[in-house]
Amino acid sequence: MKLLEEKIRTEGEFLGNNILKVDSFLNHQIDTNFMQEIGKEFATHFKDKRITKVVTIESSGIAPAFATASLLKVPLLVFKKQTSKILDTNVYQTEVISYTKGTTYPLVVSKKFLDPSDSILIIDDFLANGEAASAVIRILQLVPAEIAGIGIVIEKSFQPGRKKLEQQGFEVYSLARISKLENNTIEFISQ
Ligand code: 5GP
């Protein structure tokens, strides 16, 4: 998506450790018009996949996932980063290694919002090592719900996430694919 690449070039900040900051439009301040364009891209791409629900992880995936779900006219289900240690048999739970924090956190979702008849589209803001998406997939496989595809706003293609997900047989559709991220240099895989 050319406009996304342009925004990453002009507004993105490289923080080192392979981390890109895009908080002016994606995950701190949100460019709402632009988010609708992102939603359109995903909704158009996955329109024939009989999606019944869009899922994402709080909080930075919510804006693009909401825009997509709204256009597909399906609910958006937000997987929560758990803080309480109370055991609850009404939720699915798994552990995720956080890319940006380097720590592990429990991810939970209420069982009542997932059903084996669901065909799920997973949306997230970034793809790096594929840990967040893999955690969502582990939970969806417990249901078991069909996983129709994975939509990523910004993929860091020099990291192993895409390969990990494709090896499990999932389609990964990314709107921007970064092949190189170094001081003052950002390169994209042309699509
Ligand atoms: P993964 O689980 O694929 O290793 O990393 C994806 C998750 O880590 C995303 O949900 C995103 O929140 C965060 N993340 C990974 N790389 C970046 C990055 O370069 N910038 C930002 N802002 N978040 C990232």
Side-chain angles (χ1 to χ4, degrees), residues 18-22 27 60 96-97 99-100 124-133 156 159:
N18 290 328
I19 295 182
L20 177 69
K21 190 172 166 189
V22 284
N27 47 26
S60 47
V96 188
I97 302 165
Y99 183 82
T100 45
D124 206 2
D125 60 341
F126 274 91
L127 179 63
N129 293 330
E131 294 293 336
K156 291 180 292 179
Q159 295 180 309

Short mmCIF file of all heavy atoms in Angstrom, two decimals, residues 18-22 27 60 96-97 99-100 124-133 156 159, ligand 1:
data_model
loop_
_atom_site.label_atom_id
_atom_site.label_comp_id
_atom_site.label_asym_id
_atom_site.label_seq_id
_atom_site.Cartn_x
_atom_site.Cartn_y
_atom_site.Cartn_z
N ASN A 18 15.66 -3.08 15.95
CA ASN A 18 14.66 -3.44 14.93
C ASN A 18 13.25 -2.96 15.25
O ASN A 18 12.28 -3.54 14.75
CB ASN A 18 14.63 -4.97 14.70
CG ASN A 18 15.88 -5.45 14.01
OD1 ASN A 18 16.47 -4.72 13.20
ND2 ASN A 18 16.30 -6.65 14.30
N ILE A 19 13.13 -1.94 16.09
CA ILE A 19 11.79 -1.44 16.42
C ILE A 19 11.51 -0.14 15.69
O ILE A 19 12.30 0.80 15.70
CB ILE A 19 11.61 -1.25 17.94
CG1 ILE A 19 11.71 -2.63 18.63
CG2 ILE A 19 10.28 -0.60 18.27
CD1 ILE A 19 11.51 -2.60 20.12
N LEU A 20 10.35 -0.12 15.02
CA LEU A 20 9.89 1.05 14.30
C LEU A 20 8.75 1.69 15.08
O LEU A 20 7.82 1.00 15.49
CB LEU A 20 9.40 0.62 12.91
CG LEU A 20 8.80 1.67 12.01
CD1 LEU A 20 9.88 2.65 11.55
CD2 LEU A 20 8.15 1.01 10.80
N LYS A 21 8.85 3.01 15.27
CA LYS A 21 7.78 3.71 16.00
C LYS A 21 6.92 4.44 14.97
O LYS A 21 7.44 5.24 14.20
CB LYS A 21 8.45 4.69 16.96
CG LYS A 21 7.53 5.33 17.95
CD LYS A 21 8.36 6.13 18.96
CE LYS A 21 7.51 7.05 19.77
NZ LYS A 21 8.31 7.95 20.58
N VAL A 22 5.64 4.16 15.00
CA VAL A 22 4.72 4.86 14.08
C VAL A 22 3.53 5.38 14.88
O VAL A 22 2.38 5.19 14.50
CB VAL A 22 4.22 3.94 12.93
CG1 VAL A 22 5.27 3.74 11.86
CG2 VAL A 22 3.75 2.59 13.47
N ASN A 27 -0.62 3.68 16.36
CA ASN A 27 -0.88 3.08 17.66
C ASN A 27 -0.77 4.00 18.88
O ASN A 27 -0.75 3.51 20.01
CB ASN A 27 -0.02 1.82 17.86
CG ASN A 27 1.42 2.07 17.48
OD1 ASN A 27 1.89 3.20 17.54
ND2 ASN A 27 2.11 1.03 17.08
N SER A 60 -2.77 -2.19 20.30
CA SER A 60 -2.42 -1.51 19.05
C SER A 60 -3.04 -2.13 17.79
O SER A 60 -3.06 -1.50 16.74
CB SER A 60 -0.90 -1.40 18.91
OG SER A 60 -0.31 -2.62 19.19
N VAL A 96 2.40 -15.36 25.77
CA VAL A 96 3.00 -14.71 24.60
C VAL A 96 4.33 -14.07 24.98
O VAL A 96 4.42 -13.44 26.03
CB VAL A 96 2.10 -13.58 24.05
CG1 VAL A 96 2.64 -13.07 22.72
CG2 VAL A 96 0.68 -14.03 23.89
N ILE A 97 5.33 -14.21 24.12
CA ILE A 97 6.58 -13.48 24.33
C ILE A 97 6.41 -12.12 23.65
O ILE A 97 6.20 -12.05 22.44
CB ILE A 97 7.78 -14.22 23.71
CG1 ILE A 97 7.90 -15.62 24.32
CG2 ILE A 97 9.07 -13.42 23.91
CD1 ILE A 97 8.81 -16.56 23.54
N TYR A 99 7.38 -8.85 21.87
CA TYR A 99 8.54 -8.43 21.07
C TYR A 99 9.16 -7.14 21.61
O TYR A 99 10.37 -7.05 21.75
CB TYR A 99 8.13 -8.20 19.61
CG TYR A 99 9.32 -7.83 18.78
CD1 TYR A 99 10.16 -8.82 18.30
CD2 TYR A 99 9.66 -6.49 18.55
CE1 TYR A 99 11.30 -8.49 17.59
CE2 TYR A 99 10.80 -6.16 17.84
CZ TYR A 99 11.60 -7.17 17.37
OH TYR A 99 12.74 -6.84 16.69
N THR A 100 8.31 -6.18 21.95
CA THR A 100 8.84 -4.87 22.34
C THR A 100 9.33 -4.85 23.79
O THR A 100 10.24 -4.11 24.13
CB THR A 100 7.79 -3.76 22.12
OG1 THR A 100 6.54 -4.22 22.62
CG2 THR A 100 7.65 -3.42 20.66
N ASP A 124 -3.29 -7.59 12.94
CA ASP A 124 -2.40 -6.96 13.93
C ASP A 124 -1.63 -5.82 13.28
O ASP A 124 -1.55 -5.73 12.04
CB ASP A 124 -1.45 -7.98 14.56
CG ASP A 124 -0.99 -7.54 15.96
OD1 ASP A 124 -1.43 -6.48 16.46
OD2 ASP A 124 -0.17 -8.27 16.57
N ASP A 125 -1.06 -4.96 14.12
CA ASP A 125 -0.35 -3.79 13.58
C ASP A 125 1.03 -4.15 13.01
O ASP A 125 1.39 -3.70 11.94
CB ASP A 125 -0.22 -2.67 14.64
CG ASP A 125 0.54 -3.08 15.90
OD1 ASP A 125 0.68 -4.29 16.15
OD2 ASP A 125 0.99 -2.18 16.62
N PHE A 126 1.77 -5.02 13.73
CA PHE A 126 3.12 -5.39 13.30
C PHE A 126 3.28 -6.90 13.26
O PHE A 126 2.67 -7.61 14.05
CB PHE A 126 4.17 -4.84 14.28
CG PHE A 126 4.60 -3.43 14.01
CD1 PHE A 126 3.94 -2.36 14.61
CD2 PHE A 126 5.66 -3.15 13.16
CE1 PHE A 126 4.33 -1.06 14.37
CE2 PHE A 126 6.06 -1.85 12.91
CZ PHE A 126 5.40 -0.80 13.51
N LEU A 127 4.16 -7.38 12.39
CA LEU A 127 4.59 -8.78 12.43
C LEU A 127 6.11 -8.77 12.52
O LEU A 127 6.79 -8.21 11.65
CB LEU A 127 4.13 -9.53 11.17
CG LEU A 127 4.55 -10.99 11.07
CD1 LEU A 127 3.95 -11.83 12.21
CD2 LEU A 127 4.12 -11.59 9.73
N ALA A 128 6.64 -9.40 13.58
CA ALA A 128 8.10 -9.49 13.76
C ALA A 128 8.49 -10.97 13.80
O ALA A 128 8.75 -11.58 12.77
CB ALA A 128 8.51 -8.74 15.02
N ASN A 129 8.45 -11.57 15.00
CA ASN A 129 8.79 -12.99 15.13
C ASN A 129 7.57 -13.91 15.05
O ASN A 129 7.71 -15.13 15.12
CB ASN A 129 9.51 -13.24 16.47
CG ASN A 129 10.87 -12.57 16.49
OD1 ASN A 129 11.52 -12.42 15.44
ND2 ASN A 129 11.31 -12.16 17.66
N GLY A 130 6.41 -13.31 14.95
CA GLY A 130 5.19 -14.12 14.81
C GLY A 130 4.67 -14.69 16.13
O GLY A 130 3.79 -15.55 16.14
N GLU A 131 5.19 -14.22 17.26
CA GLU A 131 4.76 -14.77 18.56
C GLU A 131 3.32 -14.41 18.88
O GLU A 131 2.56 -15.25 19.36
CB GLU A 131 5.69 -14.27 19.68
CG GLU A 131 7.11 -14.76 19.57
CD GLU A 131 7.24 -16.26 19.79
OE1 GLU A 131 6.36 -16.84 20.46
OE2 GLU A 131 8.20 -16.85 19.27
N ALA A 132 2.94 -13.15 18.65
CA ALA A 132 1.59 -12.72 18.98
C ALA A 132 0.56 -13.47 18.12
O ALA A 132 -0.41 -14.04 18.64
CB ALA A 132 1.46 -11.21 18.78
N ALA A 133 0.81 -13.52 16.81
CA ALA A 133 -0.12 -14.22 15.92
C ALA A 133 -0.18 -15.71 16.25
O ALA A 133 -1.25 -16.32 16.26
CB ALA A 133 0.30 -14.01 14.46
N LYS A 156 7.80 -6.73 9.24
CA LYS A 156 9.24 -6.61 9.12
C LYS A 156 9.73 -7.93 8.53
O LYS A 156 9.88 -8.93 9.23
CB LYS A 156 9.84 -6.28 10.48
CG LYS A 156 9.44 -4.86 10.94
CD LYS A 156 10.02 -4.50 12.28
CE LYS A 156 9.38 -5.33 13.36
NZ LYS A 156 9.93 -5.05 14.69
N GLN A 159 12.51 -10.37 9.58
CA GLN A 159 12.35 -11.17 10.79
C GLN A 159 11.48 -12.40 10.44
O GLN A 159 10.81 -12.41 9.42
CB GLN A 159 11.73 -10.30 11.90
CG GLN A 159 12.70 -9.20 12.29
CD GLN A 159 12.20 -8.27 13.38
OE1 GLN A 159 11.10 -7.74 13.29
NE2 GLN A 159 13.02 -8.06 14.40
P1 5GP B 1 5.76 -10.61 17.06
O1 5GP B 1 4.84 -11.25 18.06
O2 5GP B 1 5.41 -10.92 15.64
O3 5GP B 1 7.20 -10.90 17.37
O4 5GP B 1 5.61 -9.05 17.25
C1 5GP B 1 4.40 -8.45 16.94
C2 5GP B 1 3.87 -7.64 18.09
O5 5GP B 1 4.91 -6.89 18.71
C3 5GP B 1 2.86 -6.65 17.56
O6 5GP B 1 1.62 -6.95 18.15
C4 5GP B 1 3.37 -5.28 17.97
O7 5GP B 1 2.56 -4.76 18.98
C5 5GP B 1 4.76 -5.51 18.53
N1 5GP B 1 5.82 -5.08 17.59
C6 5GP B 1 6.73 -5.85 16.94
N2 5GP B 1 7.61 -5.11 16.26
C7 5GP B 1 7.26 -3.83 16.46
C8 5GP B 1 7.79 -2.57 15.99
O8 5GP B 1 8.79 -2.48 15.24
N3 5GP B 1 7.15 -1.44 16.40
C9 5GP B 1 6.06 -1.48 17.22
N4 5GP B 1 5.51 -0.32 17.55
N5 5GP B 1 5.54 -2.64 17.67
C10 5GP B 1 6.12 -3.80 17.31
#
